[in-house]
Coordinates of all heavy atoms in Angstrom, one line a residue:
V9 N 38.8 113.1 265.7 CA 39.6 114.2 265.5 C 38.7 115.4 265.2 O 37.9 115.4 264.3 CB 40.7 114.0 264.4 CG1 41.5 115.2 264.2 CG2 41.5 112.8 264.8
G10 N 38.9 116.5 265.9 CA 38.1 117.7 265.6 C 38.6 118.4 264.4 O 39.7 118.1 263.9
K11 N 37.8 119.4 264.0 CA 38.2 120.2 262.8 C 39.2 121.2 263.1 O 39.2 121.8 264.2 CB 36.9 120.9 262.3 CG 35.8 120.0 261.8 CD 34.7 120.8 261.2 CE 33.8 121.2 262.3 NZ 32.6 121.9 261.9
H12 N 40.2 121.4 262.2 CA 41.2 122.4 262.4 C 41.4 123.0 261.0 O 42.2 122.6 260.2 CB 42.6 121.8 262.8 CG 42.5 121.1 264.1 ND1 42.6 121.7 265.3 CD2 42.2 119.8 264.5 CE1 42.4 120.9 266.3 NE2 42.2 119.7 265.8
Y13 N 40.7 124.1 260.8 CA 40.8 124.7 259.4 C 40.3 126.1 259.5 O 39.7 126.6 260.4 CB 39.9 123.9 258.5 CG 38.4 124.0 258.8 CD1 37.6 124.9 258.2 CD2 37.8 123.1 259.6 CE1 36.3 125.0 258.4 CE2 36.5 123.2 259.9 CZ 35.7 124.1 259.3 OH 34.4 124.2 259.6
V14 N 40.6 126.8 258.4 CA 40.1 128.1 258.2 C 38.8 128.0 257.5 O 38.7 127.3 256.5 CB 41.1 129.0 257.3 CG1 40.5 130.3 257.0 CG2 42.4 129.1 257.9
D15 N 37.8 128.6 258.1 CA 36.4 128.5 257.5 C 36.3 129.5 256.4 O 36.1 130.7 256.7 CB 35.4 128.7 258.6 CG 33.9 128.6 258.1 OD1 33.8 128.3 256.9 OD2 33.0 128.7 258.9
E16 N 36.3 129.0 255.2 CA 36.2 129.9 254.0 C 34.8 129.9 253.4 O 34.6 130.5 252.4 CB 37.3 129.5 253.0 CG 38.7 129.7 253.4 CD 39.7 129.4 252.4 OE1 39.4 128.7 251.4 OE2 40.9 129.7 252.6
S17 N 33.9 129.3 254.1 CA 32.5 129.3 253.6 C 31.7 130.5 254.0 O 30.6 130.7 253.5 CB 31.8 128.0 254.1 OG 31.7 128.1 255.5
T18 N 32.2 131.3 254.9 CA 31.5 132.5 255.3 C 31.7 133.7 254.4 O 32.6 133.7 253.6 CB 31.9 132.9 256.8 OG1 33.3 133.2 256.7 CG2 31.7 131.7 257.7
K19 N 30.8 134.6 254.6 CA 30.9 135.9 253.7 C 32.3 136.5 253.9 O 32.9 136.9 252.9 CB 29.9 136.9 254.1 CG 29.9 138.1 253.4 CD 28.8 139.1 253.8 CE 29.0 140.4 253.2 NZ 28.3 141.5 253.8
D20 N 32.8 136.6 255.1 CA 34.1 137.1 255.4 C 35.2 136.0 255.4 O 35.7 135.7 256.5 CB 34.1 137.9 256.7 CG 33.2 139.1 256.6 OD1 33.2 139.8 255.5 OD2 32.5 139.4 257.6
A21 N 35.4 135.4 254.3 CA 36.3 134.2 254.3 C 37.6 134.6 254.9 O 38.1 135.7 254.8 CB 36.5 133.8 252.8
R22 N 38.2 133.6 255.6 CA 39.5 133.7 256.2 C 39.5 134.6 257.5 O 40.5 134.9 258.0 CB 40.6 134.1 255.3 CG 40.7 133.1 254.1 CD 42.0 133.4 253.3 NE 43.2 132.8 254.0 CZ 43.6 131.6 254.0 NH1 42.8 130.7 253.4 NH2 44.6 131.2 254.6
N23 N 38.3 134.9 258.0 CA 38.2 135.7 259.2 C 37.8 134.8 260.4 O 37.7 135.3 261.5 CB 37.2 136.8 259.0 CG 37.8 138.0 258.2 OD1 39.0 138.2 258.2 ND2 36.9 138.7 257.5
N24 N 37.4 133.6 260.1 CA 37.0 132.7 261.2 C 37.8 131.5 261.2 O 37.9 130.8 260.2 CB 35.5 132.4 261.1 CG 34.6 133.6 261.4 OD1 34.7 134.1 262.5 ND2 33.9 134.0 260.4
Y25 N 38.4 131.2 262.3 CA 39.3 130.0 262.4 C 38.6 129.0 263.4 O 38.2 129.5 264.5 CB 40.7 130.4 262.9 CG 41.4 131.3 261.9 CD1 41.0 132.6 261.8 CD2 42.3 130.8 261.1 CE1 41.6 133.5 260.9 CE2 43.0 131.6 260.2 CZ 42.6 133.0 260.1 OH 43.2 133.8 259.2
E26 N 38.6 127.8 263.1 CA 38.0 126.8 264.0 C 39.0 125.8 264.4 O 39.7 125.2 263.6 CB 36.8 126.1 263.3 CG 36.0 125.3 264.3 CD 34.7 125.0 263.7 OE1 34.0 125.8 263.1 OE2 34.3 123.8 264.0
F27 N 39.2 125.6 265.7 CA 40.2 124.7 266.3 C 39.3 123.8 267.2 O 38.9 124.1 268.3 CB 41.2 125.4 267.1 CG 42.1 126.4 266.3 CD1 41.7 127.7 266.2 CD2 43.2 125.9 265.7 CE1 42.5 128.5 265.4 CE2 44.0 126.8 265.0 CZ 43.6 128.1 264.8
G28 N 39.1 122.6 266.7 CA 38.2 121.7 267.4 C 36.9 122.3 267.7 O 36.2 122.7 266.7
F29 N 36.5 122.4 268.9 CA 35.2 123.0 269.2 C 35.3 124.5 269.6 O 34.3 125.1 269.9 CB 34.5 122.2 270.3 CG 34.2 120.8 270.0 CD1 35.0 119.8 270.5 CD2 33.2 120.5 269.1 CE1 34.8 118.5 270.2 CE2 33.0 119.2 268.8 CZ 33.8 118.2 269.3
Y30 N 36.5 125.0 269.5 CA 36.7 126.4 269.8 C 36.8 127.3 268.6 O 37.4 126.9 267.6 CB 38.0 126.6 270.6 CG 38.0 125.8 271.9 CD1 38.5 124.5 272.0 CD2 37.5 126.4 273.0 CE1 38.4 123.8 273.2 CE2 37.5 125.7 274.2 CZ 37.9 124.4 274.3 OH 37.9 123.7 275.5
R31 N 36.1 128.4 268.6 CA 36.1 129.2 267.4 C 36.7 130.6 267.8 O 36.3 131.1 268.8 CB 34.6 129.4 267.0 CG 34.5 130.0 265.6 CD 33.1 129.8 265.1 NE 32.9 130.3 263.8 CZ 33.2 129.6 262.7 NH1 33.8 128.4 262.8 NH2 33.1 130.2 261.5
K32 N 37.6 131.0 267.0 CA 38.3 132.3 267.2 C 38.1 133.2 266.0 O 38.2 132.8 264.9 CB 39.8 132.1 267.5 CG 40.1 131.2 268.7 CD 39.9 132.0 269.9 CE 40.3 131.2 271.1 NZ 39.9 131.8 272.3
S33 N 37.9 134.5 266.3 CA 37.8 135.4 265.2 C 39.2 135.8 264.7 O 40.2 135.6 265.4 CB 37.1 136.7 265.6 OG 37.9 137.4 266.6
R34 N 39.3 136.4 263.6 CA 40.6 136.9 263.0 C 41.2 137.9 264.0 O 42.4 137.8 264.3 CB 40.4 137.5 261.7 CG 41.7 138.1 261.0 CD 42.7 136.9 260.8 NE 43.9 137.4 260.4 CZ 44.4 137.2 259.2 NH1 43.8 136.5 258.3 NH2 45.6 137.7 258.8
S35 N 40.4 138.7 264.6 CA 41.0 139.7 265.5 C 41.5 139.1 266.8 O 42.5 139.5 267.3 CB 39.9 140.8 265.9 OG 38.8 140.2 266.5
E36 N 40.9 138.0 267.3 CA 41.4 137.3 268.4 C 42.7 136.6 268.1 O 43.6 136.6 268.9 CB 40.4 136.2 268.9 CG 39.1 136.8 269.5 CD 38.1 135.8 269.8 OE1 37.6 135.1 268.9 OE2 37.7 135.7 271.0
I37 N 42.8 136.0 266.9 CA 44.1 135.4 266.5 C 45.1 136.4 266.4 O 46.3 136.2 266.8 CB 43.9 134.6 265.2 CG1 42.9 133.5 265.3 CG2 45.2 134.1 264.6 CD1 43.3 132.3 266.2
D38 N 44.8 137.5 265.7 CA 45.8 138.6 265.6 C 46.3 139.1 266.9 O 47.5 139.4 267.1 CB 45.2 139.8 264.8 CG 45.0 139.4 263.3 OD1 45.6 138.5 262.8 OD2 44.3 140.2 262.7
A39 N 45.4 139.2 267.9 CA 45.8 139.6 269.3 C 46.8 138.6 269.9 O 47.7 139.0 270.6 CB 44.6 139.9 270.1
M40 N 46.5 137.3 269.7 CA 47.4 136.3 270.2 C 48.8 136.4 269.5 O 49.8 136.2 270.2 CB 46.7 134.9 270.0 CG 45.5 134.7 270.9 SD 44.7 133.2 270.6 CE 45.6 132.2 271.8
V41 N 48.8 136.6 268.2 CA 50.1 136.7 267.5 C 50.9 137.9 268.1 O 52.1 137.8 268.3 CB 49.9 136.8 266.0 CG1 51.2 137.1 265.3 CG2 49.3 135.5 265.5
E42 N 50.2 139.0 268.3 CA 50.9 140.2 268.8 C 51.4 139.9 270.2 O 52.5 140.4 270.6 CB 49.9 141.4 268.8 CG 49.6 141.9 267.4 CD 48.4 142.9 267.4 OE1 48.0 143.3 268.5 OE2 48.0 143.3 266.3
A43 N 50.6 139.2 271.0 CA 51.1 138.8 272.4 C 52.4 137.9 272.3 O 53.3 138.1 273.0 CB 50.0 138.1 273.2
A44 N 52.3 137.0 271.3 CA 53.5 136.1 271.1 C 54.7 136.9 270.6 O 55.8 136.6 271.0 CB 53.2 135.0 270.1
E45 N 54.5 137.9 269.8 CA 55.6 138.8 269.4 C 56.3 139.5 270.6 O 57.5 139.8 270.5 CB 55.1 139.8 268.3 CG 54.8 139.2 267.0 CD 54.1 140.1 266.0 OE1 53.6 141.2 266.5 OE2 54.1 139.8 264.8
R46 N 55.5 139.8 271.6 CA 56.0 140.4 272.8 C 56.5 139.4 273.8 O 56.9 139.7 274.9 CB 54.9 141.2 273.5 CG 54.4 142.4 272.7 CD 53.5 143.3 273.5 NE 52.3 142.6 273.9 CZ 51.1 142.5 273.2 NH1 51.1 143.1 272.0 NH2 50.1 141.9 273.7
R47 N 56.5 138.1 273.3 CA 57.0 137.0 274.1 C 56.2 136.8 275.5 O 56.8 136.5 276.5 CB 58.5 137.0 274.3 CG 59.2 136.9 273.0 CD 60.7 137.0 273.3 NE 61.4 136.9 272.0 CZ 62.2 135.8 271.7 NH1 62.5 134.9 272.6 NH2 62.8 135.8 270.6
E48 N 54.9 137.1 275.4 CA 54.1 136.9 276.6 C 54.0 135.4 276.9 O 54.2 134.6 275.9 CB 52.7 137.5 276.4 CG 52.8 139.0 276.4 CD 51.4 139.6 276.2 OE1 50.4 138.9 276.4 OE2 51.3 140.8 275.9
T49 N 53.7 135.0 278.1 CA 53.5 133.6 278.4 C 52.0 133.5 278.8 O 51.4 134.4 279.3 CB 54.4 133.1 279.6 OG1 54.1 133.9 280.7 CG2 55.8 133.2 279.2
R50 N 51.4 132.3 278.5 CA 50.0 132.2 278.7 C 49.7 130.9 279.4 O 49.8 130.8 280.6 CB 49.2 132.3 277.4 CG 49.3 133.6 276.8 CD 48.0 134.2 276.4 NE 48.1 135.5 276.0 CZ 47.3 136.1 275.2 NH1 46.3 135.4 274.7 NH2 47.4 137.4 274.8
Y51 N 49.3 129.9 278.7 CA 48.7 128.6 279.2 C 49.7 127.8 280.0 O 49.3 127.3 281.1 CB 48.1 127.9 278.1 CG 47.1 128.7 277.4 CD1 47.4 129.4 276.2 CD2 45.8 129.0 278.0 CE1 46.5 130.3 275.7 CE2 44.9 129.8 277.4 CZ 45.2 130.5 276.3 OH 44.4 131.3 275.7
Y52 N 50.9 127.6 279.6 CA 51.9 126.9 280.3 C 53.1 127.8 280.4 O 54.0 127.6 279.6 CB 52.2 125.6 279.5 CG 51.0 124.7 279.3 CD1 50.4 124.7 278.0 CD2 50.4 123.9 280.3 CE1 49.3 123.9 277.8 CE2 49.3 123.2 280.0 CZ 48.7 123.1 278.8 OH 47.6 122.4 278.6
S53 N 53.1 128.7 281.3 CA 54.1 129.8 281.3 C 55.5 129.3 281.2 O 56.3 129.9 280.4 CB 53.9 130.7 282.5 OG 54.0 129.9 283.7
D54 N 55.9 128.3 282.0 CA 57.3 127.8 281.9 C 57.6 127.2 280.5 O 58.6 127.5 279.9 CB 57.6 126.7 282.9 CG 57.7 127.3 284.3 OD1 57.8 128.5 284.4 OD2 57.5 126.5 285.3
A55 N 56.6 126.4 280.0 CA 56.8 125.8 278.6 C 56.9 126.9 277.6 O 57.6 126.8 276.6 CB 55.6 124.9 278.3
D56 N 56.1 128.0 277.7 CA 56.1 129.1 276.7 C 57.5 129.7 276.7 O 58.1 129.9 275.7 CB 55.1 130.1 277.1 CG 53.6 129.6 277.0 OD1 53.4 128.5 276.5 OD2 52.7 130.4 277.4
A57 N 58.0 130.0 277.9 CA 59.4 130.6 278.0 C 60.4 129.6 277.4 O 61.3 130.1 276.7 CB 59.7 130.9 279.5
Y58 N 60.3 128.3 277.7 CA 61.2 127.4 277.1 C 61.1 127.3 275.6 O 62.1 127.2 274.9 CB 61.0 126.0 277.7 CG 61.3 125.8 279.1 CD1 60.5 125.0 280.0 CD2 62.4 126.5 279.7 CE1 60.8 124.9 281.3 CE2 62.7 126.4 281.1 CZ 61.9 125.6 281.9 OH 62.1 125.5 283.2
L59 N 59.9 127.4 275.1 CA 59.7 127.4 273.6 C 60.4 128.6 273.0 O 61.0 128.5 272.0 CB 58.2 127.4 273.3 CG 57.9 127.4 271.8 CD1 58.5 126.3 271.0 CD2 56.3 127.4 271.6
Y60 N 60.2 129.8 273.6 CA 60.9 131.0 273.1 C 62.4 130.8 273.0 O 63.1 131.1 272.1 CB 60.5 132.2 273.9 CG 59.1 132.7 273.8 CD1 58.4 133.0 274.9 CD2 58.5 132.8 272.6 CE1 57.1 133.5 274.9 CE2 57.1 133.2 272.5 CZ 56.4 133.6 273.6 OH 55.2 134.0 273.5
Q61 N 62.9 130.2 274.1 CA 64.4 130.0 274.2 C 64.8 129.0 273.1 O 65.8 129.2 272.4 CB 64.8 129.4 275.5 CG 64.9 130.4 276.7 CD 65.3 129.7 277.9 OE1 64.9 128.5 278.3 NE2 66.2 130.3 278.7
A62 N 64.0 127.9 272.9 CA 64.3 126.9 271.9 C 64.3 127.5 270.5 O 65.2 127.2 269.7 CB 63.4 125.7 272.0
L63 N 63.3 128.4 270.2 CA 63.2 129.0 268.9 C 64.5 129.9 268.7 O 65.0 129.9 267.6 CB 61.9 129.8 268.8 CG 60.7 129.0 268.7 CD1 59.4 129.8 268.8 CD2 60.6 128.2 267.4
D64 N 64.9 130.6 269.7 CA 66.1 131.4 269.6 C 67.3 130.5 269.3 O 68.2 130.8 268.5 CB 66.3 132.2 270.9 CG 65.3 133.3 271.0 OD1 64.7 133.8 270.0 OD2 65.2 133.8 272.2
M65 N 67.4 129.4 270.1 CA 68.6 128.5 270.0 C 68.7 127.9 268.6 O 69.8 127.7 268.1 CB 68.5 127.4 271.0 CG 68.8 127.9 272.4 SD 68.6 126.7 273.7 CE 69.8 125.5 273.2
I66 N 67.6 127.6 267.9 CA 67.7 126.9 266.6 C 67.7 128.0 265.5 O 67.7 127.6 264.3 CB 66.5 125.9 266.4 CG1 65.2 126.6 266.3 CG2 66.6 124.8 267.4 CD1 64.0 125.8 265.8
G67 N 67.7 129.2 265.8 CA 67.7 130.2 264.7 C 66.4 130.6 264.2 O 66.3 131.2 263.1
G68 N 65.3 130.2 264.9 CA 64.0 130.6 264.5 C 63.4 129.6 263.5 O 63.9 128.6 263.1
I69 N 62.1 129.9 263.1 CA 61.4 129.1 262.2 C 60.9 129.9 261.0 O 59.9 129.4 260.3 CB 60.2 128.4 262.9 CG1 59.3 129.4 263.6 CG2 60.7 127.3 263.9 CD1 58.1 128.8 264.2
K70 N 61.4 131.0 260.7 CA 60.9 131.9 259.6 C 60.9 131.1 258.3 O 62.0 130.5 258.0 CB 61.8 133.1 259.5 CG 61.3 134.1 258.5 CD 62.1 135.4 258.5 CE 61.6 136.4 257.5 NZ 60.5 137.2 258.0
G71 N 59.8 131.1 257.7 CA 59.7 130.4 256.4 C 59.5 128.9 256.4 O 59.4 128.3 255.4
K72 N 59.5 128.3 257.6 CA 59.5 126.9 257.8 C 58.0 126.4 258.0 O 57.2 127.2 258.5 CB 60.4 126.4 258.9 CG 61.8 126.7 258.6 CD 62.7 126.1 259.7 CE 64.2 126.4 259.4 NZ 65.1 126.0 260.4
E73 N 57.8 125.2 257.6 CA 56.5 124.6 257.9 C 56.5 123.9 259.2 O 57.5 123.2 259.5 CB 56.1 123.5 256.8 CG 56.0 124.2 255.4 CD 55.7 123.1 254.3 OE1 55.7 121.9 254.6 OE2 55.5 123.6 253.2
V74 N 55.5 124.1 260.0 CA 55.5 123.5 261.4 C 54.1 122.8 261.6 O 53.2 123.1 260.9 CB 55.7 124.6 262.5 CG1 57.0 125.3 262.3 CG2 54.6 125.6 262.4
V75 N 54.1 122.0 262.6 CA 52.8 121.3 262.9 C 52.7 121.4 264.5 O 53.7 121.2 265.2 CB 52.8 119.8 262.4 CG1 53.9 119.0 263.1 CG2 51.4 119.2 262.7
I76 N 51.5 121.6 264.9 CA 51.1 121.6 266.3 C 50.1 120.5 266.5 O 49.1 120.4 265.9 CB 50.5 123.0 266.8 CG1 51.3 124.2 266.3 CG2 50.2 123.0 268.3 CD1 52.6 124.3 267.0
M77 N 50.4 119.6 267.5 CA 49.5 118.5 267.8 C 49.0 118.6 269.2 O 49.7 118.9 270.1 CB 50.2 117.2 267.6 CG 50.7 116.9 266.2 SD 51.4 115.3 266.1 CE 51.9 115.3 264.4
G78 N 47.7 118.5 269.3 CA 47.1 118.4 270.6 C 46.8 119.8 271.3 O 46.6 119.9 272.5
S79 N 46.6 120.8 270.4 CA 46.3 122.1 270.9 C 44.8 122.5 270.9 O 44.2 122.3 269.9 CB 47.1 123.1 270.1 OG 46.8 124.4 270.4
L80 N 44.3 122.9 272.0 CA 42.9 123.3 272.0 C 42.8 124.8 271.8 O 41.9 125.3 271.1 CB 42.2 123.0 273.4 CG 42.0 121.5 273.6 CD1 41.4 121.3 275.0 CD2 41.1 120.9 272.6
E81 N 43.7 125.6 272.4 CA 43.7 127.0 272.1 C 44.8 127.3 271.1 O 45.9 126.6 271.2 CB 44.1 127.8 273.4 CG 43.0 128.0 274.3 CD 42.0 129.1 273.8 OE1 42.4 130.1 273.3 OE2 40.8 128.8 273.9
P82 N 44.7 128.2 270.2 CA 45.7 128.4 269.1 C 46.9 129.2 269.6 O 47.4 130.0 268.8 CB 44.9 129.0 268.0 CG 43.8 129.8 268.7 CD 43.4 128.9 269.9
W83 N 47.3 129.1 270.9 CA 48.4 129.9 271.4 C 49.7 129.5 270.7 O 50.5 130.3 270.3 CB 48.4 129.7 272.9 CG 49.6 130.4 273.5 CD1 50.6 129.9 274.2 CD2 50.0 131.8 273.4 NE1 51.6 130.8 274.6 CE2 51.2 132.0 274.1 CE3 49.4 132.9 272.8 CZ2 51.8 133.3 274.2 CZ3 50.0 134.2 272.9 CH2 51.2 134.3 273.6
Y84 N 50.0 128.2 270.6 CA 51.3 127.8 270.1 C 51.3 128.0 268.5 O 52.3 128.3 268.0 CB 51.6 126.4 270.4 CG 51.9 126.3 271.9 CD1 51.0 125.7 272.8 CD2 53.1 126.9 272.5 CE1 51.3 125.7 274.2 CE2 53.3 126.9 273.8 CZ 52.4 126.3 274.7 OH 52.7 126.3 276.0
E85 N 50.1 127.9 267.9 CA 50.1 128.3 266.5 C 50.4 129.8 266.3 O 51.1 130.2 265.4 CB 48.7 128.0 266.0 CG 48.3 126.5 265.9 CD 47.8 125.9 267.2 OE1 47.9 126.5 268.2 OE2 47.3 124.7 267.1
S86 N 49.9 130.6 267.3 CA 50.1 132.0 267.2 C 51.6 132.3 267.4 O 52.1 133.2 266.8 CB 49.3 132.7 268.3 OG 47.9 132.5 268.1
I87 N 52.3 131.6 268.3 CA 53.7 131.8 268.5 C 54.4 131.5 267.2 O 55.3 132.2 266.8 CB 54.2 130.9 269.6 CG1 53.7 131.4 271.0 CG2 55.8 130.9 269.6 CD1 54.1 130.5 272.2
C88 N 54.0 130.4 266.5 CA 54.7 130.0 265.3 C 54.5 131.1 264.2 O 55.4 131.5 263.5 CB 54.2 128.7 264.8 SG 54.7 127.3 265.8
L89 N 53.3 131.6 264.1 CA 53.0 132.7 263.2 C 53.8 134.0 263.5 O 54.4 134.6 262.7 CB 51.5 133.1 263.2 CG 50.6 132.0 262.6 CD1 49.1 132.4 262.8 CD2 50.9 131.8 261.1
A90 N 53.9 134.3 264.8 CA 54.7 135.4 265.3 C 56.2 135.3 264.9 O 56.8 136.3 264.6 CB 54.5 135.6 266.8
F91 N 56.6 134.1 264.9 CA 58.0 133.8 264.6 C 58.3 133.5 263.1 O 59.3 133.1 262.7 CB 58.6 132.7 265.4 CG 59.0 133.1 266.8 CD1 58.1 133.5 267.8 CD2 60.3 133.3 267.1 CE1 58.4 133.9 269.0 CE2 60.7 133.7 268.4 CZ 59.8 134.0 269.3
G92 N 57.2 133.7 262.3 CA 57.4 133.7 260.8 C 57.2 132.4 260.1 O 57.6 132.2 259.0
A93 N 56.6 131.4 260.8 CA 56.4 130.1 260.1 C 55.5 130.3 258.9 O 54.6 131.1 258.9 CB 55.6 129.2 261.1
S94 N 55.8 129.6 257.8 CA 55.1 129.7 256.6 C 53.7 129.0 256.6 O 52.8 129.4 255.9 CB 55.9 129.2 255.4 OG 56.1 127.8 255.5
S95 N 53.7 127.9 257.4 CA 52.4 127.2 257.5 C 52.5 126.3 258.7 O 53.5 126.0 259.2 CB 52.0 126.5 256.2 OG 53.0 125.5 256.0

């Protein structure tokens, strides 16, 4: 299992996120969250659209804890953050 954590060991703690072997800067994550707020579709466009619909149907996830399994790109994590997930 690859690493999935916020790297707080750097000088600019909480600015580098590591997902498996992929490393994203805070600005890259923020850009993905902003794209999700606009309900853009990316990696699995149909699945992304269905996820937005499902989130609307259940009344959202604001303040809820969620888990994403099997993600290489933090796109679905970004969608969850855009929709107010607490963690």
Side-chain angles (χ1 to χ4, degrees):
V9 175
K11 295 182 278 183
H12 299 277
Y13 65 94
V14 176
D15 181 359
E16 295 181 347
S17 66
T18 62
K19 179 182 172 195
D20 297 320
R22 303 191 75 80
N23 284 331
N24 291 298
Y25 297 77
E26 190 165 319
F27 299 89
F29 299 105
Y30 298 92
R31 193 165 184 82
K32 297 288 183 191
S33 69
R34 177 63 186 246
S35 62
E36 289 173 302
I37 298 292
D38 289 344
M40 293 178 87
V41 171
E42 290 170 8
E45 288 171 345
R46 294 188 299 271
R47 294 177 179 247
E48 291 182 14
T49 58
R50 296 230 173 152
Y51 303 97
Y52 305 102
S53 60
D54 289 342
D56 296 354
Y58 295 142
L59 178 56
Y60 292 134
Q61 282 182 320
L63 291 170
D64 289 339
M65 288 174 63
I66 65 167
I69 55 173
K70 186 174 179 85
K72 296 185 179 177
E73 296 178 356
V74 299
V75 62
I76 307 293
M77 295 183 182
S79 175
L80 291 178
E81 278 289 318
W83 175 240
Y84 292 108
E85 292 85 346
S86 298
I87 290 174
C88 292
L89 291 172
F91 278 74
S94 65
S95 64

